[in-house]
Amino acid sequence: MDLPQGFHSQGENLVDRLVKSLYGLKQQSQHDHSLFTKHSKQGTVIILVYVDDMLIAGDSLEQILETKTALQNAFKMKDLGELKYFLGIEFARSSKGITMHKRKYALELTSEAGLAASKPANTPIDINVKLTSRQYDETIKDKVYIEEDPLTDQSGYHRLIRKLLYLTVTRPDISFAVQTLSQFLQDPKKSHMDVALRIMRYIKKQPGQGLLLSSKFRNEITEFCDADWASCPITRRFVTGFMIKFGDSLVSWKSKK
């Protein structure tokens, strides 16, 4: 890129810092370095890259086709057409909008856990359960804590929690339960594995549940937040959760201690 007319460099070994984006110049997102955008008078094109997979979107079909042609001239690539499957996420279109779900992933995970013939659960976790690194004996009046033996196969618990974490990308309804179980990766017990399997039985009830990106445009951001004071029985820290909606579409959420 050449310097604009009338601008003189202060030295040969210096570079110029771009403060504002220029039309036609691709920009790398500061929040996600695999996300690129290009703004022009004809429209905006957004490119998301993950290893050898690429997702192209924009508000101008002409600009999208032009971008595809430019990429095909520079790299060997295969055009798979309209988006239906990307990084384990399935996309379904309707008059209501675009639904993102992981039905195939959820069914495979349920089968892998050996719960294909199990009875589905109505909730991911019992609200009265307070998981700790120890469990108490309810037969004793003062609820004396007793030590639980660790799981024999701790690696199995680790794998299951990792896969459940990936499932939360389209299932915010299990975020709280999964973040709770993630706190016991270092020394999981049988009680923790029982709750993890309950989450799987809950997923089995509706494996295709996901997120709807509404086709109705409403330029409004709505936020919901809640906190449960000192609810963690181990550290007495509070657990907070939030969700952010753009129009009728859920775009961000989190559950965190």
Side-chain angles (χ1 to χ4, degrees):
M1 183 176 68
D2 298 327
L3 294 175
Q5 187 177 1
F7 184 87
H8 301 285
S9 177
Q10 302 299 321
E12 295 182 357
N13 297 325
L14 299 179
V15 296
D16 298 302
R17 180 182 179 184
L18 184 64
V19 178
K20 186 178 180 181
S21 301
L22 301 178
Y23 281 120
L25 181 65
K26 64 178 182 298
Q27 294 295 311
Q28 185 181 45
S29 171
Q30 296 300 316
H31 304 286
D32 187 344
H33 295 308
S34 61
L35 181 67
F36 298 87
T37 60
K38 180 182 177 181
H39 303 280
S40 66
K41 295 180 179 179
Q42 289 73 32
T44 299
V45 177
I46 301 173
I47 302 176
L48 180 65
V49 182
Y50 183 83
V51 190
D52 58 350
D53 293 318
M54 186 181 299
L55 182 62
I56 304 176
D59 55 7
S60 170
L61 181 58
E62 181 181 350
Q63 289 295 303
I64 292 176
L65 294 176
E66 182 181 316
T67 302
K68 285 184 178 181
T69 302
L71 290 171
Q72 288 172 340
N73 292 334
F75 307 100
K76 184 179 179 180
M77 55 180 288
K78 183 178 181 180
D79 188 354
L80 298 177
E82 191 178 80
L83 179 65
K84 294 180 180 179
Y85 191 84
F86 187 71
L87 301 181
I89 304 174
E90 300 174 62
F91 296 82
R93 288 173 171 79
S94 68
S95 58
K96 295 181 179 180
I98 300 176
T99 302
M100 301 169 53
H101 63 87
K102 291 186 177 182
R103 185 177 185 276
K104 180 181 177 182
Y105 181 86
L107 291 174
E108 291 176 351
L109 188 54
T110 303
S111 178
E112 184 181 328
L115 299 174
S118 63
K119 182 180 179 181
N122 293 323
T123 57
I125 190 173
D126 188 344
I127 59 173
N128 296 317
V129 170
K130 297 292 184 181
L131 292 174
T132 66
S133 56
R134 298 178 297 170
Q135 295 299 311
Y136 58 81
D137 188 349
E138 294 184 356
T139 61
I140 302 177
K141 183 178 179 180
D142 295 330
K143 294 184 178 180
V144 177
Y145 281 94
I146 57 175
E147 291 292 340
E148 254 193 299
D149 293 331
L151 279 176
T152 305
D153 181 21
Q154 295 191 5
S155 61
Y157 180 83
H158 297 161
R159 287 193 301 271
L160 181 56
I161 297 303
R162 284 199 302 266
K163 292 180 179 181
L164 286 173
L165 282 169
Y166 185 55
L167 192 57
T168 60
V169 173
T170 57
R171 296 291 298 260
D173 53 327
I174 64 173
S175 295
F176 170 76
V178 175
Q179 71 86 17
T180 301
L181 294 178
S182 299
Q183 302 174 34
F184 306 102
L185 291 173
Q186 185 175 358
D187 189 23
K189 313 294 185 182
K190 182 180 180 300
S191 57
H192 305 142
M193 190 63 174
D194 290 341
V195 176
L197 295 177
R198 179 193 172 107
I199 297 175
M200 289 305 309
R201 292 192 292 109
Y202 168 75
I203 293 169
K204 181 178 182 291
K205 187 174 183 178
Q206 289 185 316
Q209 184 171 324
L211 299 174
L212 174 65
L213 302 179
S214 178
S215 58
K216 297 180 180 179
F217 178 75
R218 189 158 54 90
N219 193 18
E220 179 179 317
I221 294 179
T222 310
E223 302 176 15
F224 301 91
C225 183
D226 193 14
D228 192 356
W229 180 256
S231 62
C232 178
I234 304 173
T235 62
R236 288 303 170 188
R237 293 182 180 180
F238 66 88
V239 176
T240 183
F242 72 82
M243 57 181 290
I244 301 174
K245 298 181 70 176
F246 179 66
D248 296 329
S249 304
L250 183 63
V251 295
S252 182
W253 62 89
K254 193 171 190 178
S255 177
K256 181 181 180 181
K257 182 170 74 173

